[in-house]
Amino acid sequence: MRVQQLTFAALALAAGISLSACQNNDSDSAQDSQPPASSAPSDSSAPSNASDPTSGSPQDDGTGSGGQETSAGKPPAQSGGTGKCRTDNLTFTAVDSAGGGDEDNGFIALGLTNHGSTPCILSGFAGVDLTTNGGPISAAREGQPATPVTLQVGKEIDFGLTYPLNKTGGSGVRITGMLVTPPGETKPAHVNWPGAATLPASDTSSAVRVGPIGSAGQGG
């Protein structure tokens, strides 16, 4: 009887140990079967988006211009109009015209011819200065300027200059040459003086007058 009780106790102990071992094995198996948790990348490791309007970077629209598209990658062409006539592109002529003046004044017809490669614009008054043995004399403007004229290549336009004739019988003021400056220009051209050799000594500065461009006929 004593032996049977020991045997039953031993069997019960063995069964308890076996049950505990099975439970531990089941727990370990359940833990082993669960996949490891994946860690998501932090915001700081995510790549930046260049087209994100909040990033402060210009969007690339494929033109390489930071969103400002131009034709063929070049800035738009600027259109230019006809420019004013330049001294270097003009030929200057001066002809004495006895019929253009009166008994007290002589008349010089001055011509400007466009020998440049493109048309140019003339308007207003040319500057005319006579060189004399008594110093330069600037012609005063006379008349109203006409509308601007486009001077085509090879064409001429004229204007007139009046000056007092020396009828005093004295030597007067001797004219040695003439400087003509186109309207809007600063560079003068030297032109031979074709008129009378002298001017009267008195009131000469106010008596030499130049008309507006086109006042002596227009060569178109």
Side-chain angles (χ1 to χ4, degrees), residues 82-92 111-122 151-157 182 185 187-189:
T82 302
K84 62 184 178 181
C85 296
R86 300 291 185 178
T87 302
D88 292 338
N89 293 330
L90 294 171
T91 299
F92 299 77
L112 304 177
T113 302
N114 181 8
H115 68 250
S117 58
T118 59
C120 59
I121 294 177
L122 282 170
L151 189 61
Q152 301 295 329
V153 176
K155 296 298 182 177
E156 177 182 339
I157 193 168
E185 261 280 37
K187 181 180 181 180

Side-chain angles (χ1 to χ4, degrees), residues 93-97 100-101 106-112 124-128 139-143 157-163 178 180 193 207-218:
T93 58
V95 178
D96 184 17
S97 179
F107 183 83
I108 303 296
L110 294 163
L112 304 177
F125 293 83
V128 179
R141 295 176 177 181
E142 182 177 51
I157 193 168
D158 303 314
F159 59 99
L161 176 79
T162 59
Y163 65 98
M178 179 169 50
V180 180
W193 173 254
V208 179
R209 298 182 177 275
V210 61
I213 294 294
S215 60
Q218 181 173 333

Side-chain angles (χ1 to χ4, degrees), residues 31-219:
Q31 293 180 358
D32 293 340
S33 63
Q34 293 181 358
S38 59
S39 58
S42 63
D43 293 340
S44 61
S45 62
S48 60
N49 189 351
S51 62
D52 184 359
T54 62
S55 65
S57 300
Q59 297 184 13
D60 184 4
D61 59 358
T63 64
S65 59
Q68 298 179 355
E69 183 176 359
T70 57
S71 176
K74 298 179 181 179
Q78 297 180 352
S79 59
T82 302
K84 62 184 178 181
C85 296
R86 300 291 185 178
T87 302
D88 292 338
N89 293 330
L90 294 171
T91 299
F92 299 77
T93 58
V95 178
D96 184 17
S97 179
D102 52 37
E103 60 182 14
D104 295 323
N105 294 289
F107 183 83
I108 303 296
L110 294 163
L112 304 177
T113 302
N114 181 8
H115 68 250
S117 58
T118 59
C120 59
I121 294 177
L122 282 170
S123 64
F125 293 83
V128 179
D129 297 286
L130 303 184
T131 57
T132 73
N133 61 342
I137 298 175
S138 296
R141 295 176 177 181
E142 182 177 51
Q144 295 297 321
T147 57
V149 175
T150 299
L151 189 61
Q152 301 295 329
V153 176
K155 296 298 182 177
E156 177 182 339
I157 193 168
D158 303 314
F159 59 99
L161 176 79
T162 59
Y163 65 98
L165 297 173
N166 183 16
K167 295 182 177 182
T168 63
S171 59
V173 178
R174 184 168 56 87
I175 302 173
T176 59
M178 179 169 50
L179 297 175
V180 180
T181 307
E185 261 280 37
T186 57
K187 181 180 181 180
H190 293 267
V191 182
N192 292 331
W193 173 254
T198 62
L199 300 172
S202 61
D203 299 330
T204 300
S205 58
S206 60
V208 179
R209 298 182 177 275
V210 61
I213 294 294
S215 60
Q218 181 173 333

